Amino acid sequence: MMAGESRLHDLRIDVDRLLRRIDALGEIGRIDGPNGEWGNARLALTDTDRAGRDLVVTWMRDLGLDVAIDALGNVVGTREGADRTLAPVMVGSHIDTVGTGGRFDGNLGVLAGLEVIETLARHDVVTERGVQVAFFTDEEGARFAPDMLGSLVYVGGLALEEALDIVAADDGARLGDELERIGYAGPVPCPHPAAPHAYVELHIEQGPILEAEGVTIGVVEGVQGISWTEVVIVGQSAHAGTTPMRLRHDPVYCAGVIAAYVRDLTRTLGHDQVGTVGRVDVYPNLVNVVASRVVLTVDLRNTDESMLQEAERRLGTFLEELSLDEGVEISTRSLARFEPVAFDARMVDRVESTAQRLGHSTRRMPSGAGHDAQMLARICPTAMIFTPSVNGLSHNIAEFTEASDIAAGANVLLQVVVDLAQDAPTD
Ligand code: GLV
Ligand code: MN
Ligand code: MN
């Protein structure tokens, strides 16, 4: 065992080993772009997700972790500490991706966690508290809404049975059936009865701020509120050549108007309000047929809960008026609704001072993306570390983070974890 705080402070991760794991996981569901860029399609609970899970579980077992798979397919690998009565420190993220995702989003946090474990093991470090590496099911929510589903259920925010009954947006499959099919409906109860001592998640920023400001480490103070709404517009199918414009009840026209309204709404509200119409399904989707039905999604986010509520209220009023104007039926269903989350101030300070001790420039910032950390924050002190994203790109196969930034982020993670894992019981 290494003795002394200074020797622990000298520990560093091996970035080449970490990058090899990122690339190996990225080979599963790999998508190649025309200019050498490459990313991933591992939508939650698909065959590629299963293959990715199998690889990460193999790595966990090879590192000697005790692997627990719970009833929602969340996977937690534990390295015991010297005192097994103390709550462990958890790190983690997700390994599912959107359909055209990068190989860093989520994967970095999980594989950097394994790199922390391997670094501790190779230096024969036994921490006081155990260290856990988790990957949570369906963080993206792209296939099964809401996002952060696995961690939401893990912390008791949604009943397991309700989660198992969620139906996929793409093929209508039931989540519980898909979990069984890929062999990840595990025996461990979910929600988990005991909270970790603390949770720390390393993640790429997925936006342009760190790169633009030349800052290496984002110290994340919280996550903005998220509101996802599914909008169903039912009009009347008709002939594109013969139906006079004044007699149409056209859901595709409405979809276009809604997308434009969402963009205008963000301009009117300001305050960093963002809004996206990301999915539009048209029926029957034919060149010479006025459509009968459109299903679309609206994603609204704001760091300010009252502003987010105002955006939702204005969208609701707009949809009512549009329905009357065009003579279509418009119904809505909430797919996800999470209030903004502020991380524990002492944990945020710890990330910041650790990054500065390691010589990195830092910047405090909110997260624009949703993360499992916002769910874990409900049950234990939580923090996040961001690393820059080249060109601010994410949810894009061209997503990229420089090796030096990955090394910086993973070393901050290592040092924060080592410190937390030495916390006395009263801390
Ligand atoms: C999920 O990661 C999201 O922010 O959409
Ligand atoms: Mn992510
Ligand atoms: Mn993502």
Side-chain angles (χ1 to χ4, degrees):
M1 190 204 300
M2 285 178 74
E5 196 175 286
S6 67
R7 291 202 61 203
L8 289 178
H9 280 183
D10 288 341
L11 285 176
R12 294 292 180 271
I13 60 97
D14 178 339
V15 73
D16 293 329
R17 194 167 55 203
L18 171 53
L19 288 172
R20 278 197 297 276
R21 285 206 177 99
I22 290 174
D23 286 353
L25 181 53
E27 288 297 334
I28 299 172
R30 175 173 172 146
I31 308 174
D32 282 281
N35 301 308
E37 69 278 23
W38 65 284
N40 284 149
R42 285 200 311 276
L43 285 165
L45 311 187
T46 55
D47 288 343
T48 49
D49 185 24
R50 167 177 35 200
R53 286 165 170 266
D54 289 351
L55 181 61
V56 176
V57 167
T58 301
W59 283 332
M60 285 179 162
R61 296 211 164 106
D62 288 349
L63 287 169
L65 300 185
D66 178 28
V67 177
I69 303 176
D70 74 25
L72 199 63
N74 298 313
V75 176
V76 181
T78 301
R79 181 176 195 259
E80 293 294 353
D83 187 342
R84 293 181 179 217
T85 66
L86 296 178
V89 176
M90 180 184 278
V91 301
S93 195
H94 60 98
I95 61 166
D96 67 313
T97 74
V98 295
T100 51
R103 60 191 189 278
F104 300 92
D105 177 358
N107 305 307
L108 172 62
V110 177
L111 301 181
L114 294 189
E115 180 54 37
V116 166
I117 297 288
E118 184 146 9
T119 303
L120 296 176
R122 284 184 182 246
H123 290 86
D124 295 324
V125 173
V126 180
T127 48
E128 274 305 293
R129 295 172 183 274
V131 178
Q132 296 183 312
V133 181
F135 61 86
F136 295 99
T137 296
D138 187 41
E139 188 274 350
E140 292 291 3
R143 185 165 183 229
F144 298 97
D147 46 355
M148 288 77 71
L149 183 64
S151 47
L152 177 67
V153 177
Y154 188 88
V155 303
L158 179 72
L160 173 68
E161 291 310 321
E162 271 184 64
L164 294 175
D165 278 338
I166 293 172
V167 167
D170 51 0
D171 57 6
R174 181 179 165 274
L175 187 146
D177 296 341
E178 287 293 86
L179 201 56
E180 294 277 354
R181 186 184 69 77
I182 68 163
Y184 274 87
V188 173
C190 187
H192 197 267
H197 172 59
Y199 177 80
V200 191
E201 182 166 344
L202 171 65
H203 205 285
I204 54 167
E205 179 200 346
Q206 310 184 267
I209 294 169
L210 293 175
E211 182 183 59
E213 297 186 1
V215 172
T216 306
I217 297 292
V219 178
V220 187
E221 295 185 288
V223 181
Q224 67 179 342
I226 302 177
S227 166
W228 285 0
T229 304
E230 182 181 76
V231 180
V232 179
I233 312 158
V234 179
Q236 188 174 59
S237 207
H239 194 292
T242 61
T243 314
M245 298 311 287
R246 68 190 155 76
L247 295 181
R248 294 186 184 206
H249 309 283
D250 183 352
V252 171
Y253 164 73
C254 294
V257 171
I258 291 167
Y261 178 77
V262 167
R263 175 63 71 93
D264 286 346
L265 182 62
T266 63
R267 284 199 202 99
T268 322
L269 288 176
H271 282 278
D272 298 328
Q273 176 69 48
V274 289
T276 307
V277 173
R279 177 160 71 86
V280 181
D281 296 320
V282 177
Y283 305 90
N285 208 19
L286 297 170
V287 62
N288 55 353
V289 180
V290 176
S292 58
R293 196 161 72 97
V294 164
V295 180
L296 61 83
T297 55
V298 181
D299 174 323
L300 297 172
R301 306 193 193 198
N302 202 309
T303 50
D304 181 319
E305 172 63 20
S306 61
M307 293 301 295
L308 186 55
Q309 287 180 13
E310 177 64 13
E312 291 174 315
R313 196 188 58 70
R314 290 194 195 188
L315 175 66
T317 305
F318 178 77
L319 294 178
E320 278 171 26
E321 289 168 3
L322 181 62
S323 150
L324 293 175
D325 287 352
E326 184 66 7
V328 293
E329 271 176 42
I330 300 185
S331 56
T332 61
R333 180 168 74 98
S334 174
L335 296 179
R337 183 62 168 90
F338 301 117
E339 291 188 10
V341 172
F343 290 144
D344 180 271
R346 290 204 302 169
M347 289 286 287
V348 174
D349 288 346
R350 250 170 135 141
V351 168
E352 188 173 54
S353 59
T354 304
Q356 289 172 355
R357 174 168 60 76
L358 293 181
H360 301 304
S361 50
T362 61
R363 182 203 205 277
R364 290 187 171 226
M365 60 196 304
S367 170
H371 297 291
D372 296 306
Q374 76 195 79
M375 298 306 162
L376 271 292
R378 296 185 185 189
I379 61 166
C380 67
T382 292
M384 289 191 77
I385 304 157
F386 273 179
T387 53
S389 293
V390 172
N391 296 323
L393 282 179
S394 187
H395 287 187
N396 181 322
I397 61 169
E399 173 188 284
F400 190 71
T401 294
E402 300 290 352
S404 57
D405 291 331
I406 287 184
N411 276 318
V412 175
L413 180 71
L414 169 68
Q415 288 296 319
V416 170
V417 167
V418 162
D419 275 355
L420 286 165
Q422 302 306 106
D423 280 350
T426 48
D427 278 9

